[in-house]
Each structure stands twice: as structure tokens, then as C-alpha cells.
Amino acid sequence: MLNTVQLIGNVGSVNPAEKVVRLNVAVNRNVKQGDSWEKETDWITVTLFGHSADFAKAYVRKGDLVHVEGRIQPNNYEKDGVKVYTYDVIAKRLQKLNRKADAAAHDDIPF
């Protein structure tokens, strides 16, 4: 069995906690609307732990272009009596694609 995902997108938000960081990453795709193509954006929640979380806390900001490798994690919860299903990406590797001087030495941190 194989459960892997790779994303390239822009960070919409960085939500750090004590030992974990959650990023919302915008990934664009093209959809045909009649005779033209329109860009649609999907927002993917990415969860980071360990060294990758430390890297994200220190260097990743809203608007940064990132490459994420990881696995899909299904989740569910109940809201107003209705079961809601979500899918998050648990990151194994995070890489910034737009280099800044402060992050150049720490640009690619695997778990």
C-alpha cells in the first residue's frame, strides 16, 4: 500500500502550538468553465511535528511558496449532530521554494 502526497503551494496561515505546527497551503488548479479555463484554489491543512515544526515556526510565513511531502490522514468529528470528514496532510518533509537570506541554510529539513 502507498499513501504519499506532494504539494506545491503558497502558505495562507501558520498556526504554531507547543509541539506541532499547522499550515494552510493554497494549491491552484484549472477548471473548464464553458469556453474558458478558470483558476480554483484548494486549501490543504498540513500538520508538522519535530524538526519540521521547528523549521516552520522559525522560517515559514504567510505567502511563502513551499513544497510538502507527506501522507494523507483522514479525520472526523461531529458538529451539530452531523459527522464531518476531513483530510489533512501529515508532513514528512517541508521545503521553502522562495529563498530568503535568513532561511537559505535551513531550506530543506526532513524528519
Side-chain angles (χ1 to χ4, degrees):
M1 297 187 142
L2 181 64
N3 180 359
T4 61
V5 64
Q6 292 189 45
L7 304 170
I8 294 177
N10 292 95
V11 175
S13 65
V14 180
N15 303 304
E18 188 173 323
K19 295 184 179 186
V20 66
V21 171
R22 285 191 174 79
L23 305 176
N24 287 318
V25 178
V27 179
N28 295 325
R29 60 189 166 88
N30 293 319
V31 177
K32 186 141 179 145
Q33 299 283 338
D35 292 335
S36 63
W37 289 89
E38 301 291 327
K39 181 174 75 170
E40 289 190 1
T41 301
D42 295 317
W43 288 94
I44 311 294
T45 301
V46 177
T47 303
L48 302 118
F49 299 96
H51 294 298
S52 292
D54 294 339
F55 172 76
K57 285 180 192 177
Y59 299 106
V60 176
R61 302 290 177 258
K62 181 178 179 177
D64 284 344
L65 184 65
V66 294
H67 174 245
V68 176
E69 294 179 31
R71 64 181 173 82
I72 296 175
Q73 175 72 48
N75 298 303
N76 65 70
Y77 61 91
E78 202 165 306
K79 181 176 182 180
D80 300 326
V82 177
K83 201 166 215 178
V84 177
Y85 296 91
T86 64
Y87 293 90
D88 298 337
V89 172
I90 306 301
K92 182 172 70 173
R93 182 176 167 183
L94 172 70
Q95 180 180 14
K96 282 182 64 171
L97 298 179
N98 55 333
R99 297 178 185 265
K100 294 183 179 179
D102 63 344
H106 302 88
D107 206 28
D108 184 9
I109 307 293
F111 265 63

